[in-house]
Amino acid sequence: MSEAALSIDRLAVVLHRNGAPVSVLADVRLALAPGEVLALVGESGSGKSTLGLALQGLLPAEAAPRIAGSVRVGGMEVVGARPPELRMLRRKVVRVVPQDPMAGLNPTMKIGRQLAESGGSGPTIRDWLARTGLHDAERILNALPHELSGGQRQRVLIAMAMLARPQLLIADEPTTALDTTTQAHILALLRRLAEQCRTAILFITHDLAVAGSLADRIAVLHGGRIVETASARALLAAPQHIYTQRLLTALRDVNTCPAAPGERGAGTALRLSSVTKSYRLGRQPVLKSVNLLIRKGECVALVGESGAGKSTVLRIAAGLVAPDSGDVARADLRPQMVFQDPASAFTPWLRIGEQIGDRLGRQRDRHARVGQALEWVGLDPAMANALPGELSLGQCQRAALARAVVAPPALLLCDEPVSAMDMPLAVAILDLLSELRHRLGMAVLFVTHDLAVARKVGDNIAVLKDGELVEEAAADDLLDNPQTDYTRALIAAAPARVSIR
Amino acid sequence: MSGLGLFTRTRWADRAGLLSVLTITLMTLAAGVITPFDPQSRVAAAYLAPSAAHWFGTDEIGRDLFSRVLQGAQLTWLPAVTVIGLALFFGAAVGLVSGALGGWVDLTLQRVVDLFLVLPPMLIALTVVAVLGPGIVNTVIALVIFWWPWYARITRDEVRRLKGRPHFEAAQLGGIDPFCLWFRYLLPGAVPALVVAATLDVANVVLAMALMSFLGLGQPAPAAELGAMTARSLESLTVYWWLPILPAAAVWLMCLSANLAGDGLRSVLRGA
C-alpha cells in the first residue's frame, strides 16, 4: 500500500480580517487513502473553503495567514513550502474542480488550447474527454466556454484536472450550479474516476444528501473543527455529534414535512392559457403552449432542469416579459417576486428600510409598516437602517421577503430562493415562507430544480420540460406515483435526499 | 462610511491627487486676494530671474510672473470645472432618459450623441470661437458642446446595465412611481463611473483650453492666459527659460493632479 494521498495533522489557520486575527481552522486531522472519496460537509462560514485553499498553499496573502500543524499531500509537506514547490504541487499533485465552471475557464480561449496548456498531448486529451463523457471531442475542442452547457464545462474542468494524473482532486461544491440530472452524472463520473485512477477526492459541499450519495467517508466541519468523521453509511444512520444530528434533522424535515394545505379560495390567482414565448425570431421557442392555473392561497412548485423555461414562466407571470401569444390573467396587478440571489436583488446604495418603504409610497404609517414587515420575517426593525451589503445571506433573503409582503400581494413568485443556501438555512427560509403564506393568504408560484424543496413547499408540483408542462399533480402523488418517464427520471436522478426518510 | 474613512484608506498618490485638486481649487478661487502683485501692471524691471521677491521672476515688460500664472490658472481651472459640470448635467440628463426609456427614444438620442461624438473636437471649438468671438463664455460653450455626449453615453450604458439587474426588476415590481425609480434606483448607480470619468476629463479640458489660448483663440490680450503666455515667450526659451516653462509647468501640475485624483476616486469607488 502506498503512502496516504493526503494527511492533515493538527492544522490550525488564523486569518486576519480588518487587522484582527480570526481562528478559521483549529486542530484539523484528516487522512485520505488513494482512491478514497471523502466529503467535507459544513455550513457556509465553517471554514471548508479555507481548508481547500490551505491544501494548495493558496491562502490569501492579504489576510496574513498564520498556519500551524502539518499538511502532507502525496508525501510532500505543504506548510512552509516555498513558492516554486507550491507551483509544482498545484500543477502535478493537487488539482481543483471549482464551484463555478465558467470561472474556471478562460472565456476568450478555445477549450482545446486550455486543455493543451494544462499539459498532455492530443491523444491523451481526447482520451480524457471521452472518459469524462464528452464524446464529440472535435466540437468540444474548438468551442469557447460559453458555447458549452454547464455540465459540459464541468466535465471539461474534470478532464483538465485529471490530465495531470493528480494524487488529490479537490472538488469545491462542483455541482451546486447544475440541475439534478446533470449533478447525478457528474457525481457518478467522480466516483468512477476515483476507483479507476486511484485518485483521492476531497469533495467539499454543504449538502449532506449529496455527500451521502457519493462519498466513502464524511467529515463534518463546524466552526473550524472537524466534529465527526465516519463512513458515510454510519454517519447518516447514527450521527454521534449533536451538530451532525441537527444537520440530519434539517434534511429529514425537508423530506417528510409536506406543506400544510393553504386556505384555498375559489378565485384564481394566476392563469396562463396557451402561453408561448421565444426570445429570438426563428429560434426554438422557450415555452410551447403552457397552461397553468394557481388558485387563491395555493402554492404550486414548478420543477424542471435548467433551460426548461422555468424562469421565463415566472417572468411572464410577473409581467416583466410579455408572452408572444396566449393569455395571462392575474388576480392582482402587482405580484411580488423573491429572487435566487438576495444580495443582487437589493439596490446596493439604498437602505433596506427605504427599499421596503418605497413600496408604500407616501403613506403616513410607512415607518411603522416597514418595522412590522421586518418583524414578520424575524428581523430586528433596526435592520431598516442597514445597507444590503451589511446583511448575511439569510438576513438578506428575509429582508427580500419583508419587501415582498409589506404590501401583501395576492400572488408571490419565488425564483429558486433557497438554492444557494445550506440546509438549515434553507429550511428556516422555507418555513418562514409557508408561515407568511398562511398568515397573508397569498398564492405562491415557486420555481425550483430541487424535488425535495418542491415537496416541502408545494400543494401541487408541476413539471416543466423543454417549454412544456409534462405533468401536474398534488405533491405527494406526483413524487410517489409519477405518471411520465421524465418525472421518473428526475426523481431517480435526485440525490439521496428525496429517498431518505 | 465617512468621507474621512474613505480618504485614509487610499494610497498616498491618490491622497496627493485629491489634496492638490482641493488646493488648486481653493487657490484659484482666492487668486484675486492672494496674488502678491497686480498681474496686469508693471512692478519691477523686465526679465528678472526668479528670486525671493519675485518667485517666478518678471516678464518682458516687468509684470510679476507668479501673479500672472496664478491668474492664468484661475482663468483655466475654474472654466474647466464649469465645462465638466455643465457637460455632466446635460450628458447625464440625456443618458438617463435614453437608457431608462429605451426603444425608439434611446435609438434617436443615441444617434444624436453619435453625431456629436464624430465631430472633430478642436475644429468645433475653433469654429464656435471664430463665429462667436473669443472670450471665456464662448470657450466654455464650445467645450461643453464637445464634452456632453461622452457623459450621455456613459450614463446610458450604466443605466441599461442596471435595468437588467434583479434589483431593478424587484423595484419595478414594487409599483414605485417612475420619478423615484429613475432618480433613486437608476441614476446613483451611474455616479461612480461618471465621477471618475469627469475627474480625469478636467485634465483634458485644461489642456484643451491651454491649447486654444496657445493658438490665439483664448481671451483677448491683457488677460494672463497660460497657453498664450507660453506661446508668446517660446522663442526666448534658451535665454529667459522661466517665461515659457513656468506657465507650462502650471498646466502640467493641474493635469497631473486631476489625473491622480481621478485614479484615486476610481480605486475608492470601485473598491468600497
Side-chain angles (χ1 to χ4, degrees):
Chain A
M1 189 74 201
S2 60
E3 192 175 359
L6 169 70
S7 71
I8 306 177
D9 191 28
R10 276 167 292 174
L11 176 71
V13 173
V14 175
L15 296 179
H16 291 78
R17 285 184 194 136
N18 300 326
V22 182
S23 169
V24 182
L25 294 173
D27 197 29
V28 173
R29 297 163 206 238
L30 212 55
L32 248 91
E36 191 181 22
V37 180
L38 183 128
L40 185 68
V41 180
E43 293 177 64
S44 41
S46 61
K48 51 191 199 301
S49 296
T50 305
L51 182 58
L53 292 175
L55 298 188
Q56 311 161 61
L58 274 181
L59 291 172
E62 66 268 21
R66 279 211 312 272
I67 312 166
S70 152
V71 175
R72 294 182 74 79
V73 184
M76 185 182 149
E77 179 61 53
V78 178
V79 176
R82 289 179 302 113
E85 292 166 3
L86 286 174
R87 276 198 294 277
M88 201 285 291
L89 177 91
R90 291 194 289 264
R91 253 189 102 71
K92 304 268 185 215
V93 190
V94 189
R95 296 301 292 247
V96 176
V97 180
Q99 177 171 9
D100 174 5
M102 202 61 199
L105 292 166
N106 181 336
T108 64
M109 214 191 266
K110 286 189 176 166
I111 299 291
R113 243 185 94 197
Q114 301 194 44
L115 282 168
E117 284 194 346
S118 186
S121 56
T124 39
I125 288 174
R126 270 155 225 273
D127 180 38
W128 272 111
L129 284 180
R131 289 177 79 167
T132 51
L134 295 168
H135 292 291
D136 49 348
E138 281 322 309
R139 190 182 74 82
I140 301 282
L141 290 173
N142 283 311
L144 287 165
H146 72 266
E147 293 167 336
L148 303 180
S149 72
Q152 286 172 329
R153 278 182 220 135
Q154 205 54 287
R155 285 170 199 272
V156 165
L157 279 163
I158 292 172
M160 191 181 280
M162 291 306 293
L163 270 172
R165 303 303 304 260
Q167 300 185 23
L168 175 66
L169 189 68
I170 301 175
D172 188 358
E173 310 240 12
T175 58
T176 31
L178 306 175
D179 61 68
T180 355
T181 318
T182 319
Q183 175 176 348
H185 289 152
I186 297 283
L187 294 180
L189 168 63
L190 286 172
R191 179 79 253 176
R192 204 162 60 236
L193 289 176
E195 275 160 21
Q196 289 172 357
C197 308
R198 308 297 297 152
T199 299
I201 297 183
L202 180 68
F203 190 92
I204 300 178
T205 179
H206 64 254
D207 193 328
L208 206 49
V210 169
S213 67
L214 169 78
D216 302 310
R217 285 191 301 142
I218 298 179
V220 180
L221 194 65
H222 178 54
R225 287 168 189 275
I226 293 200
V227 294
E228 185 166 1
T229 312
S231 79
R233 190 165 302 174
L235 188 129
L236 290 178
Q240 299 298 311
H241 194 274
I242 184 146
Y243 176 72
T244 319
Q245 289 165 1
R246 222 188 85 208
L247 278 181
L248 263 174
T249 319
L251 188 63
R252 293 218 178 88
D253 221 24
V254 170
N255 286 301
T256 51
C257 282
E263 300 211 354
R264 296 184 207 179
T268 306
L270 175 73
R271 183 200 295 275
L272 303 181
S273 322
S274 322
V275 164
T276 65
K277 178 78 191 168
S278 56
Y279 280 113
R280 219 182 283 165
L281 229 61
R283 279 285 186 89
Q284 183 78 358
V286 181
L287 297 182
K288 319 168 197 164
S289 187
V290 170
N291 295 296
L292 187 69
L293 173 69
I294 303 179
R295 283 183 292 274
K296 283 190 171 148
E298 185 182 42
C299 176
V300 171
L302 185 63
V303 298
E305 296 177 66
S306 43
K310 304 190 294 279
S311 303
T312 306
V313 171
L314 206 60
R315 294 162 67 83
I316 287 176
L320 288 169
V321 171
D324 293 345
S325 65
D327 285 327
V328 182
R330 289 183 210 92
D332 128 59
L333 288 174
R334 240 191 248 165
Q336 291 298 314
M337 193 150 160
V338 177
F339 294 81
Q340 178 171 18
D341 175 15
S344 68
F346 276 102
T347 303
W349 55 82
L350 292 175
R351 293 181 191 288
I352 295 291
E354 292 178 290
Q355 301 196 44
I356 299 174
D358 278 350
R359 303 295 166 106
L360 301 169
R362 289 204 187 78
Q363 293 176 23
R364 197 152 338 121
D365 57 348
R366 181 174 151 145
H367 184 74
R369 284 184 61 185
V370 170
Q372 184 195 31
L374 287 170
E375 273 176 4
W376 278 349
V377 299
L379 289 177
D380 183 354
M383 207 68 104
N385 292 319
L387 286 169
E390 296 162 17
L391 268 54
S392 72
L393 182 70
Q395 288 172 332
C396 217
Q397 197 60 291
R398 283 172 193 273
L401 276 167
R403 178 174 63 179
V405 301
V406 67
L411 174 64
L412 182 67
L413 305 163
C414 299
D415 188 4
E416 309 237 15
V418 298
S419 65
M421 296 176 185
D422 49 56
M423 194 51 75
L425 182 57
V427 169
I429 295 289
L430 294 177
D431 285 342
L432 173 63
L433 180 68
S434 71
E435 185 198 320
L436 286 172
R437 170 157 92 90
H438 292 122
R439 174 184 292 183
L440 304 170
M442 297 180 292
V444 177
L445 175 58
F446 191 102
V447 162
T448 178
H449 65 259
D450 190 327
L451 285 169
V453 169
R455 167 178 244 162
K456 181 168 169 65
V457 299
D459 301 323
N460 282 358
I461 297 182
V463 181
L464 192 67
K465 183 198 181 216
D466 297 336
E468 282 177 296
L469 280 183
V470 293
E471 189 167 357
E472 185 182 354
D476 284 337
D477 290 350
L478 184 124
L479 289 176
D480 296 337
N481 188 14
Q483 297 299 311
T484 60
D485 288 344
Y486 182 70
T487 310
R488 274 192 283 276
L490 267 186
I491 295 172
R497 188 185 288 171
V498 176
S499 51
I500 292 177
R501 291 258 179 158
Chain B
M1 202 179 323
S2 72
L4 197 69
L6 279 179
F7 186 74
T8 50
R9 275 196 284 115
T10 48
R11 293 172 303 144
W12 69 266
D14 302 337
R15 254 176 273 173
L18 292 167
L19 261 187
S20 48
V21 161
L22 201 67
T23 315
I24 291 171
T25 309
L26 287 177
M27 278 178 76
T28 49
L29 278 174
V33 186
I34 61 172
T35 43
F37 301 94
D38 179 358
Q40 305 302 354
S41 46
R42 196 186 159 119
V43 293
Y47 298 122
L48 288 180
S51 66
H54 299 279
W55 296 344
F56 284 11
T58 58
D59 69 0
E60 64 276 8
I61 55 173
R63 291 175 296 195
D64 179 57
L65 194 62
F66 179 71
S67 303
R68 286 185 66 75
V69 165
L70 204 55
Q71 195 189 33
Q74 182 186 34
L75 289 175
T76 310
W77 184 261
L78 297 181
V81 173
T82 312
V83 164
I84 294 299
L86 288 173
L88 264 180
F89 180 79
F90 291 117
V94 171
L96 181 62
V97 170
S98 178
L101 286 179
W104 65 268
V105 177
D106 183 38
L107 209 65
T108 315
L109 285 175
Q110 288 311 307
R111 294 303 76 77
V112 173
V113 167
D114 283 340
L115 203 67
F116 276 91
L117 283 176
V118 296
L119 294 172
M122 279 328 272
L123 206 61
I124 291 301
L126 300 186
T127 312
V128 169
V129 173
V131 172
L132 299 179
I136 201 74
V137 176
N138 294 344
T139 313
V140 167
I141 291 174
L143 289 172
V144 169
I145 288 175
F146 168 63
W147 247 281
W148 74 267
W150 294 97
Y151 299 128
R153 184 52 61 83
I154 292 175
T155 312
R156 182 253 183 194
D157 288 352
E158 290 288 310
V159 167
R160 299 276 302 174
R161 185 180 62 82
L162 289 169
K163 271 184 81 180
R165 306 270 302 152
H167 59 73
F168 184 72
E169 290 183 345
Q172 269 182 310
L173 287 173
I176 299 167
D177 73 273
F179 190 78
C180 171
L181 206 56
W182 284 20
F183 283 92
R184 276 161 70 81
Y185 289 82
L186 284 179
L187 190 59
V191 165
L194 283 174
V195 165
V196 170
T199 326
L200 293 171
D201 272 353
V202 168
N204 293 328
V205 179
V206 165
L207 267 182
M209 297 192 57
L211 183 60
M212 284 173 75
S213 122
F214 185 91
L215 295 174
L217 289 156
Q219 299 205 56
E225 276 214 313
L226 299 174
M229 283 154 76
T230 308
R232 266 203 308 278
S233 56
L234 202 56
E235 61 269 35
S236 53
L237 175 67
T238 50
V239 197
Y240 312 115
W241 58 266
W242 58 92
L243 287 182
I245 293 287
L246 291 178
V251 172
W252 173 80
L253 190 67
M254 285 190 278
C255 294
L256 181 72
S257 307
N259 271 312
L260 286 179
D263 282 346
L265 281 177
R266 169 157 46 203
S267 56
V268 168
L269 292 172
R270 298 266 159 84

